[in-house]
Amino acid sequence: MQSSNPDIYAIGDCSSKHQFTHMAGTQAQMVVENANFKGDRRVSELVVPRCTYTIPEVAGTGSSEAELVEQGVEYDTFTASLEHNDRAILEGGDVGFCKILVKKGTSQILGATIVAETAGDFISEITLSMQAGVGLDTIGRVIHPYPCLLYTSDAADEEDSVDLGGRRIIKKKKKNIKR
């Protein structure tokens, strides 16, 4: 945001790979803070959500699988379909999924993709968790109102699922290995 000239700042599309209105607004806030209050907030410290407003919506945050493979990061993939989600069924929006990537062998969230009618609304919980350093295991212990789209209790086999706070919530689809 601060250019090579300490008196000139840039925000928005010209200064970031994240070309979203919400990112430009955040950058503007950071520039004001940094310029007027001798702050040192940096865009690189942010987890930036993204959403394409289609039907269904496609939202993501953090790293994609392709980025993790390119970086040589080992990760586990957890995916939950909306086809058995009671709220999605009631509202006729049971097409979609939530996929969360975690650092291999841990609950540290590295990225997520959600495809659902309101994916842009509930990607924020995962973005907040990543920004605050909260793991997938902690999200699993949060009580969500029922029925809600975030409650994705798949009917999965014991060996194919992960226990999050006493519930089998997200089916473990595959393990990725370092390539």
Side-chain angles (χ1 to χ4, degrees):
M1 294 183 314
Q2 185 177 28
S3 69
S4 58
N5 181 331
D7 296 326
I8 298 177
Y9 291 81
I11 64 166
D13 293 356
C14 69
S15 66
S16 173
K17 68 178 183 174
H18 306 289
Q19 297 180 349
F20 307 111
T21 303
H22 56 276
M23 189 61 196
T26 299
Q27 289 176 322
Q29 178 185 9
M30 293 171 73
V31 164
V32 169
E33 290 176 15
N34 289 350
N36 293 316
F37 305 108
K38 304 289 185 216
D40 63 351
R41 290 185 62 200
R42 299 186 183 284
V43 172
S44 61
E45 298 169 353
L46 300 177
V47 178
V48 182
R50 56 200 173 272
C51 186
T52 303
Y53 295 96
T54 55
I55 299 173
E57 295 175 3
V58 179
T61 191
S63 298
S64 68
E65 287 186 272
E67 290 169 332
L68 294 176
V69 169
E70 183 179 306
Q71 297 166 9
V73 176
E74 293 185 280
Y75 62 95
D76 292 320
T77 303
F78 297 93
T79 304
S81 170
L82 292 181
E83 67 184 326
H84 300 293
N85 180 286
D86 292 341
R87 175 79 176 265
I89 293 168
L90 286 170
E91 293 180 354
D94 58 341
V95 174
F97 63 90
C98 174
K99 176 169 53 173
I100 300 176
L101 311 172
V102 298
K103 186 175 181 181
K104 187 172 180 65
T106 74
S107 67
Q108 178 188 353
I109 303 169
L110 301 174
T113 300
I114 301 172
V115 175
E117 289 204 18
T118 56
D121 294 332
F122 61 93
I123 195 69
S124 295
E125 182 171 6
I126 298 171
T127 303
L128 173 63
S129 299
M130 291 176 67
Q131 187 71 45
V134 172
L136 187 56
D137 58 340
T138 301
I139 293 175
R141 290 190 292 269
V142 172
I143 299 171
H144 292 97
Y146 176 86
C148 119
L149 290 174
L150 288 173
Y151 188 87
T152 55
S153 185
D154 273 13
D157 297 332
E158 288 290 337
E159 72 260 10
D160 292 335
S161 63
V162 62
D163 184 339
L164 298 177
R167 300 185 306 223
R168 283 184 294 136
I169 293 182
I170 298 175
K171 187 174 180 184
K172 197 174 202 176
K173 287 285 196 186
K174 63 180 179 178
K175 284 189 175 180
N176 291 64
I177 57 171
K178 190 174 179 179
R179 296 177 186 166

